[in-house]
Amino acid sequence: IVPMGEKRGLLQVYTGEGKGKTTAAVGLAVRALGWGQKVFMCQFLKPAKMKSGEMCLAEKFAGQLHWERLEADWPMKKGGPDGTTRNEMHQAIEKIWPRITEVVSEGKYDLVILDELNCCLSERLIEWEAVEELLEKKHPQVELVITGRGASKQLIQAADLVSEVLDIKHPYNNGTIARKGVEY
């Protein structure tokens, strides 16, 4: 139990096949911003050129919300990437990982969101050992949120909170495409 008045950052994991993992994390960001806290969000597998509501929010909260994406595009369609894309993604993650480690360990941000990192682990774009080292270096006051399908058993065990989002029914199954302001 943390004494009254002392902040201790936890590790939260949002996983599962359903829609809402990133949405839950962005909801936490909005809550933190409302209290004047600083937020850092890195989206690992969202298309680099796609404008999103998160990007617009970062523009409006410059100085309080820092948002980044990788410089490579992961195909969001089923069937997975080809070897070139996989290699590009692996290199892009290796390039940004020192920055992520710095952000998580310094404590300059109250909330750090690593969106789709679970997928990077399950797709072996990053090894568990790198994430484990990141968790060991986490500043004690940083609230760390990791999202994405397929959270590993090791990450679930390390987490303080794990929520699984189930896919019961989704409009994509009826041909509805991603909608601005709802899915991105």
Side-chain angles (χ1 to χ4, degrees), residues 40-44 66-70 92-109 111-115 117 120 126 130-135 137-139 142 144-146:
F40 178 94
M41 181 173 187
C42 181
Q43 293 185 303
F44 284 89
H66 184 84
W67 174 89
E68 291 186 21
R69 273 198 189 143
L70 298 185
I93 291 169
E94 279 187 345
K95 183 178 177 183
I96 200 170
W97 199 251
R99 169 80 171 127
I100 299 300
T101 302
E102 175 187 317
V103 164
V104 170
S105 65
E106 282 183 340
K108 290 182 181 177
Y109 293 91
L111 173 64
V112 175
I113 300 168
L114 304 179
D115 187 43
L117 185 62
C120 294
I126 189 166
V131 175
E132 185 176 40
E133 185 179 323
L134 177 78
L135 297 179
K137 292 180 177 179
K138 183 181 93 54
H139 191 282
V142 169
L144 180 59
V145 177
I146 298 175

